[in-house]
Amino acid sequence: MRQHVNPLSSNFHEIERIPSLIEIFGDSKSNLHLDIGCAGGEFLFDLALVNNSWNYLGIEIREKLVKTAKLKVCETEIKNLYFVFGNAINILNDVENKFIIKNLKSISFNFPDPWFKKRHFKRRVIQPEFINNLSNLLQKGSLIFIKTDVKDLFDYMNCTILNNLNFQAIDKKDFNYSGSFNPNKIQTKREKYVIVNELDIFESIYIKI
Ligand SMILES: C[S@@+](CC[C@H](N)C(=O)[O-])C[C@H]1O[C@@H](n2cnc3c(N)ncnc32)[C@H](O)[C@@H]1O
């Protein structure tokens, strides 16, 4: 399977419409967390089991991973987890899918593809217009979690989010998770690799004000 796909390719212009929350979750009223670039969904399967009072949604651009994850959801009959295939930016910028952003309590971007070359920065999933769209639709108090092992990518994401005045960084030491569930309690697949290989992790949390 290809490790990296170009999200700007015309293959991803057509997008999957996300069914209503009632159609995809057992309890549509539960708090909703979105993981962008969820790969095979290992992190979300763990979260959905550990914290079954929340609903979890994953968006991933590699179709084969999404097909396998969807199959696993069916087999395990988990009612608080759903996967969507495609470029997260196109999916969430689509008017038909606005309701998803409006219903989110939190979003995670865990170890996004770094796209090291400057001419490829536009392929990165965190883009100013996308952050602007999120800031317009997210409820106040919603959280964004970012995590990466690439310092330059962290600086770029941090700067892009903070350039939007509707987001403020929260010091994780001061942050009180009461009423919320901290997704950082669970390690992602990439994070496990990063820890085993003793690489640095750069992370931050932002709140919509
Ligand atoms: C380095 S992997 C990290 C996977 C996982 N979050 C983890 O921490 O183990 C980045 C993932 O983001 C996906 N991805 C990259 N750009 C994307 C986009 N625009 N929309 C959705 N998924 C994307 C990639 O296919 C890949 O699975």
Side-chain angles (χ1 to χ4, degrees):
M1 189 187 312
R2 292 182 67 184
Q3 285 305 306
H4 297 285
V5 293
N6 176 2
L8 304 180
S9 148
S10 58
N11 294 343
F12 305 112
H13 286 174
E14 209 169 297
I15 58 148
E16 185 174 329
R17 197 189 68 80
I18 308 177
S20 70
L21 298 179
I22 295 176
E23 288 169 270
I24 59 184
F25 295 122
D27 180 358
S28 62
K29 299 262 184 309
S30 299
N31 288 332
L32 179 60
H33 176 86
L34 166 68
D35 188 42
I36 292 183
C38 63
E42 298 81 359
F43 168 71
L44 290 179
F45 276 100
D46 286 349
L47 273 172
L49 288 173
V50 168
N51 184 37
N52 60 14
S53 63
W54 277 56
N55 288 328
Y56 292 97
L57 182 67
I59 304 182
E60 168 55 47
I61 203 164
R62 285 182 289 167
E63 191 168 19
K64 210 169 165 187
L65 292 179
V66 177
K67 280 189 176 155
T68 309
K70 277 181 186 265
L71 212 61
K72 195 171 155 193
V73 170
C74 282
E75 283 165 7
T76 49
E77 298 183 3
I78 297 177
K79 299 280 182 264
N80 61 332
L81 180 56
Y82 192 80
F83 291 97
V84 180
F85 155 69
N87 178 349
I89 296 184
N90 296 349
I91 290 168
L92 294 170
N93 281 348
D94 188 86
V95 282
E96 299 278 337
N97 291 329
K98 268 186 179 177
F99 73 97
I100 289 294
I101 307 179
K102 289 181 179 167
N103 279 285
L104 290 173
K105 284 278 177 285
S106 49
I107 309 178
S108 49
F109 294 88
N110 291 315
F111 302 89
D113 291 337
W115 295 108
F116 289 106
K117 293 180 184 150
K118 196 161 186 199
R119 69 188 154 89
H120 287 158
F121 282 5
K122 55 183 183 292
R123 296 182 184 180
R124 289 177 169 176
V125 70
I126 290 196
Q127 296 291 334
E129 310 76 44
F130 182 43
I131 293 300
N132 192 34
N133 186 33
L134 294 181
S135 95
N136 288 335
L137 296 171
L138 281 172
Q139 300 166 42
K140 282 184 183 163
S142 305
L143 301 174
I144 295 182
F145 296 82
I146 65 164
K147 231 183 240 189
T148 177
D149 51 313
V150 180
K151 177 74 168 73
D152 283 354
L153 177 64
F154 175 80
D155 291 341
Y156 165 88
M157 294 193 291
N158 184 50
C159 205
T160 306
I161 295 173
L162 290 180
N163 271 342
N164 185 305
L165 299 178
N166 287 321
F167 292 111
Q168 209 171 61
I170 301 175
D171 190 327
K172 70 173 183 175
K173 290 191 290 295
D174 301 335
F175 187 58
N176 176 6
Y177 286 100
S178 64
S180 181
F181 184 83
N182 180 0
N184 282 339
K185 282 185 181 170
I186 304 289
Q187 290 171 2
T188 75
K189 191 173 177 186
R190 171 74 193 171
E191 190 168 10
K192 288 174 186 163
Y193 169 89
V194 165
I195 290 169
V196 166
N197 288 281
E198 298 181 356
L199 304 174
D200 290 328
I201 294 180
F202 307 93
E203 58 186 306
S204 197
I205 307 170
Y206 309 88
I207 188 162
K208 160 89 188 279
I209 49 173

